[in-house]
Amino acid sequence: MGHLLSKNGYRLKKRTRKLHHRKKKKRNCFLQLPCMLCFIVHSNSSGLDDDSDHLEAGVNGSGCRHNSITGISVPGVGGVGIGAAAASKLAERYATLASPEDCSKFLLSPRELAIWEGQGRSLLSAVPAKLIPPPALFRTAGVSVTVPIPVPVPVSGCNSNNTEMVCKRKCSEVQRCTPCKQPRCTFAAPDGGLENGGVGGGGGEAASNSETGHCHLPLCPLPSTSSSASSASSSSSSPADGCCGLGLHADLPHSSDSSPCCLHQYDDSQTRSFDAADHLSINHLPSSILLKVLSHLTVKERCLCASLVCKYWRDLCLDFQFWKQIDLSGLQQVNDDLLVKIASRRQNVTEINISDCRGVHDHGVSSLASHCPGLQKYTAYRCKQLGDSSLASLAKYCPLLVKLHVGNQDKLTDEALKKLGESCSELRDIHLGQCYGISDDGMVALARGCRKLQRLYLQENKMVTDQSVRAVAENCPELQFVGFMGCPVTSQGVIHLTALRNLNVLDLRHISELNNETVMEVVRKCRNLSSLNLCLNWSINDRCVEIIAKEGRSLKELYLVSCKITDHALIAIGQYSSTIETVDAGWCKDITDQGATQIAQSSKSLRYLGLMRCDKVNEETVERLVVQYPHIVFSTVMQDCKRTLERAYQMGWSPNTSNTS
């Protein structure tokens, strides 16, 4: 509120002594108060030392004290007066209050509380409204408050002498809000939250947060000595009393949960906060967060969209971390000049993917390799225009290369593999599928030079035979993934893979001369084998599958598409294997309802069963199994169509009725 005069009790005593010698002089000391909240009311015709006489005269025979200005009667007060000595002592006690805890101990009795409220009404009715400015609390928050003035109601039968009284209430918990950039002042409930528009019934400490622009102004309850006094005063109190301490509840309905001043202040602060939010921009976020957001965009989106927003975003899109892993796959605009520019400006490239980039040639890859010695991963699928020069440059300038995927490059020959074997001893992952110019000479040189190989995949390399399989098995003991799909290897070469103790995934699809004994021996020796792919091998029969189910203690995936198996193979998997989760028996013409039903019933680990184009399995049987075993995914033509349609509906797709009609 702000004091008009000092709240020092000594000055009040001194003024009392002066008034004692001039008690016949009429004064109106409304503006000579210690505080606008805690005031001392003097009558127009008497001094401080005559307070007892006036108070006794102001109480009628029925115990009702009457105020001559407002006409408000205070019941239950008789024979009680607050003299000058008591006022002086209260002023001294008031001056020593320094904390909310001290204020909570400075309590009013029920009778003193009733007198205080009555005198507060008389003060408001006696002083013109223009002399009562808005409290400093609300002036700080920038909210205009109109203080209502009660209308005097004369009551007959009571004395009309105006007596003096001292307000013992000190609203010390209400503090000024610290100026904020975005002021949002609300009233906090006792539990720290907002109730009924931001007005609560209890008090709390004022809080100010300069960072968020929120300042919470608590309400100050009326102090009392007992719970009965609190309950008695709560019926005639309002949030306005707590905020201003001027007893404004006379003009407010008792059932209201919020005061007009609080709502006005809340709405005004909300409007200002919304205006401030309009000026916020995504550029106000820290650069680290913006970099994280931009990292979810592709290279094309960053270069052709995000970098064109503003200079700041262009600089962010050129950040070095975006150019460590470069994915240019499928971009037909990529050519040798672009690779040269990237290589000259970004020498910290560690991974690049130029798959399906038809405009890139050996010159561009060589320039990139010469400027990026730290390159570790290189992917170039279906770049048929590239030849040995690109791999030779990578082998020469990038000795740290660990991943090399160059599938479907017809121009690659054994010379490129020999260069890699000589220089790239750290190579661990290589994919040479459908590189038809590679033969055993290149594979042997690669296996001898890259002894740390962990993944090797070949597909339809028509000049790779058992010699390559043997060289790989003898020189690369760390191999975990091996694939020879469609290569002209035989059981004599595959048997060498039993030396790979760390073998985890083995792909033997479409091996024309693969017998059951070789497969069973590999499963017995490779104890860590978890995935075995035997699709398109007509030599695999029920006996081989039974041995696989018994010996494959770590096996989780078994692919038997288009193999010569019957229901006995599926029954054996359900009976003997406790680890296999995925079984794909699609296109096996001899699979019937019996095999599908028994493997679903007996297997505790099965989660996927592929029955695609198993024509002897009825769809009704599959529907029944889907209901009985919901934890298993059954793959048939109808079931896959239903799942696809269900996913489409979940993504928001709806059939176009106009086209169907």
Side-chain angles (χ1 to χ4, degrees):
M1 249 325 190
H3 296 278
L4 298 178
L5 295 175
S6 173
K7 61 178 181 178
N8 194 329
Y10 176 76
R11 295 189 59 177
L12 186 60
K13 285 184 179 180
K14 186 175 180 180
R15 187 165 60 252
T16 303
R17 288 197 298 269
K18 292 180 180 180
L19 292 176
H20 179 72
H21 301 287
R22 296 180 301 171
K23 57 184 178 180
K24 296 299 182 181
K25 184 178 179 180
K26 296 182 179 180
R27 314 184 43 167
N28 186 356
C29 61
F30 173 73
L31 297 179
Q32 301 180 14
L33 308 179
C35 174
M36 285 295 292
L37 277 177
C38 301
F39 46 82
I40 300 176
V41 181
H42 305 282
S43 64
N44 294 331
S45 60
S46 62
L48 288 172
D49 56 343
D50 295 337
D51 52 355
S52 300
D53 299 336
H54 290 292
L55 184 60
E56 293 175 358
V59 179
N60 56 18
S62 61
C64 174
R65 181 201 174 279
H66 180 269
N67 187 287
S68 60
I69 300 177
T70 62
I72 299 177
S73 299
V74 182
V77 179
V80 178
I82 302 178
S88 177
K89 292 180 179 179
L90 291 174
E92 290 179 354
R93 290 178 60 190
Y94 170 79
T96 59
L97 298 180
S99 65
E101 291 75 11
D102 297 337
C103 181
S104 63
K105 300 177 182 179
F106 191 61
L107 303 177
L108 290 170
S109 64
R111 294 183 179 181
E112 293 170 341
L113 186 64
I115 295 176
W116 180 83
E117 292 179 350
Q119 290 299 325
R121 296 189 187 96
S122 65
L123 174 66
L124 290 176
S125 61
V127 180
K130 64 181 181 179
L131 296 180
I132 305 178
L137 179 65
F138 297 100
R139 292 200 301 271
T140 304
V143 181
S144 59
V145 181
T146 302
V147 180
I149 304 300
V151 180
V153 180
V155 179
S156 60
C158 294
N159 199 326
S160 61
N161 292 334
N162 185 16
T163 61
E164 63 182 9
M165 54 89 66
V166 177
C167 174
K168 300 180 181 180
R169 184 181 174 209
K170 178 178 180 181
C171 190
S172 62
E173 294 183 4
V174 180
Q175 303 173 2
R176 289 175 177 262
C177 293
T178 304
C180 307
K181 294 182 180 180
Q182 302 176 23
R184 290 183 61 184
C185 297
T186 58
F187 293 93
D191 57 351
L194 296 178
E195 297 179 359
N196 300 329
V199 180
E205 294 183 0
S208 176
N209 191 334
S210 60
E211 295 180 359
T212 59
H214 298 265
C215 31
H216 301 284
L217 305 179
L219 303 178
C220 297
L222 291 174
S224 61
T225 57
S226 64
S227 59
S228 60
S230 300
S231 60
S233 60
S234 61
S235 61
S236 60
S237 321
S238 70
D241 293 328
C243 297
C244 307
L246 295 177
L248 304 183
H249 58 276
D251 289 350
L252 296 178
H254 297 290
S255 61
S256 176
D257 293 334
S258 60
S259 63
C261 64
C262 299
L263 294 177
H264 184 191
Q265 179 187 14
Y266 181 76
D267 294 339
D268 184 70
S269 61
Q270 285 289 94
T271 304
R272 271 184 277 179
S273 65
F274 293 152
D275 295 340
D278 294 339
H279 300 285
L280 296 179
S281 172
I282 190 176
N283 289 344
H284 293 164
L285 294 174
S287 59
S288 59
I289 298 179
L290 286 177
L291 290 174
K292 184 64 175 178
V293 173
L294 295 176
S295 67
H296 294 281
L297 302 179
T298 62
V299 175
K300 183 177 181 180
E301 292 170 343
R302 282 197 298 267
C303 294
L304 301 181
C305 300
S307 62
L308 303 179
V309 173
C310 60
K311 292 182 178 180
Y312 179 51
W313 280 36
R314 184 194 64 182
D315 296 339
L316 291 177
C317 292
L318 293 177
D319 189 80
F320 74 95
Q321 70 178 17
F322 292 142
W323 300 97
K324 294 179 65 177
Q325 294 92 18
I326 304 176
D327 186 5
L328 303 175
S329 59
L331 300 180
Q332 302 304 322
Q333 302 89 341
V334 178
N335 51 29
D336 293 339
D337 295 336
L338 179 59
L339 288 184
V340 171
K341 291 180 180 179
I342 293 176
S344 60
R345 297 182 182 181
R346 301 295 172 186
Q347 300 181 4
N348 60 333
V349 178
T350 61
E351 181 180 353
I352 189 168
N353 187 348
I354 56 172
S355 300
D356 299 306
C357 294
R358 306 296 175 85
V360 177
H361 298 83
D362 292 335
H363 170 68
V365 177
S366 300
S367 177
L368 177 70
S370 61
H371 288 84
C372 302
L375 187 65
Q376 298 179 4
K377 298 180 181 180
Y378 173 76
T379 305
Y381 288 117
R382 293 172 294 277
C383 294
K384 296 181 177 294
Q385 70 279 5
L386 297 179
D388 292 340
S389 299
S390 59
L391 291 190
S393 299
L394 290 172
K396 179 180 180 179
Y397 297 108
C398 305
L400 301 178
L401 197 65
V402 296
K403 176 183 176 181
L404 181 67
H405 286 194
V406 288
N408 201 359
Q409 292 189 15
D410 299 338
K411 295 183 179 182
L412 291 181
T413 63
D414 294 335
E415 295 298 326
L417 297 188
K418 292 178 181 179
K419 294 289 185 180
L420 290 174
E422 293 174 359
S423 303
C424 299
S425 60
E426 299 295 327
L427 196 61
R428 290 178 172 83
D429 185 2
I430 187 166
H431 188 296
L432 300 172
Q434 296 179 336
C435 295
Y436 303 115
I438 295 175
S439 65
D440 290 335
D441 295 339
M443 289 301 303
V444 171
L446 181 67
R448 291 176 179 175
C450 304
R451 295 181 177 273
K452 296 182 180 180
L453 271 180
Q454 297 179 359
R455 296 175 60 91
L456 174 63
Y457 185 77
L458 300 174
Q459 178 180 348
E460 298 179 3
N461 301 87
K462 301 302 182 182
M463 294 188 292
V464 175
T465 63
D466 294 338
Q467 184 180 357
S468 299
V469 180
R470 180 177 180 179
V472 168
E474 292 177 353
N475 295 283
C476 303
E478 298 181 9
L479 274 173
Q480 300 176 7
F481 182 101
V482 176
F484 289 98
M485 175 183 175
C487 296
V489 298
T490 64
S491 297
Q492 297 178 359
V494 174
I495 198 64
H496 292 287
L497 297 179
T498 56
L500 302 176
R501 302 303 181 186
N502 297 324
L503 189 60
N504 186 263
V505 179
L506 180 59
D507 187 354
L508 297 177
R509 286 177 290 176
H510 195 40
I511 304 298
S512 57
E513 298 183 15
L514 183 66
N515 55 47
N516 296 326
E517 288 73 15
T518 302
V519 175
M520 291 186 289
E521 187 66 19
V522 170
V523 173
R524 289 191 186 101
K525 296 294 182 64
C526 300
R527 309 302 295 179
N528 294 324
L529 192 64
S530 63
S531 178
L532 179 60
N533 197 329
L534 300 174
C535 298
L536 304 175
N537 288 308
W538 282 93
S539 60
I540 303 300
N541 54 25
D542 295 340
R543 179 174 173 270
C544 180
V545 174
E546 182 178 348
I547 298 301
I548 292 174
K550 291 180 179 180
E551 299 293 339
R553 300 302 181 185
S554 302
L555 197 62
K556 293 184 178 180
E557 299 176 359
L558 181 59
Y559 300 95
L560 303 169
V561 175
S562 192
C563 291
K564 195 176 182 180
I565 61 174
T566 63
D567 293 336
H568 297 289
L570 298 185
I571 296 173
I573 293 174
Q575 290 179 353
Y576 300 117
S577 177
S578 60
T579 59
I580 294 180
E581 300 177 355
T582 300
V583 175
D584 194 349
W587 293 85
C588 295
K589 303 299 183 180
D590 296 330
I591 300 295
T592 64
D593 295 345
Q594 181 183 1
T597 303
Q598 292 196 17
I599 189 176
Q601 292 176 351
S602 58
S603 178
K604 297 181 180 179
S605 60
L606 188 64
R607 294 296 179 269
Y608 176 89
L609 179 59
L611 300 172
M612 184 70 67
R613 293 307 304 270
C614 294
D615 298 335
K616 294 183 180 180
V617 178
N618 296 324
E619 193 63 34
E620 293 79 7
T621 303
V622 177
E623 291 287 350
R624 177 175 54 81
L625 293 176
V626 169
V627 176
Q628 292 180 354
Y629 306 99
H631 62 282
I632 301 177
V633 176
F634 295 90
S635 176
T636 62
V637 175
M638 291 300 298
Q639 294 299 319
D640 288 355
C641 290
K642 289 181 180 180
R643 281 190 290 269
T644 302
L645 189 60
E646 183 179 355
R647 285 194 296 268
Y649 279 121
Q650 292 176 355
M651 296 175 64
W653 177 84
S654 59
N656 193 345
T657 56
S658 60
N659 293 339
T660 57
S661 60

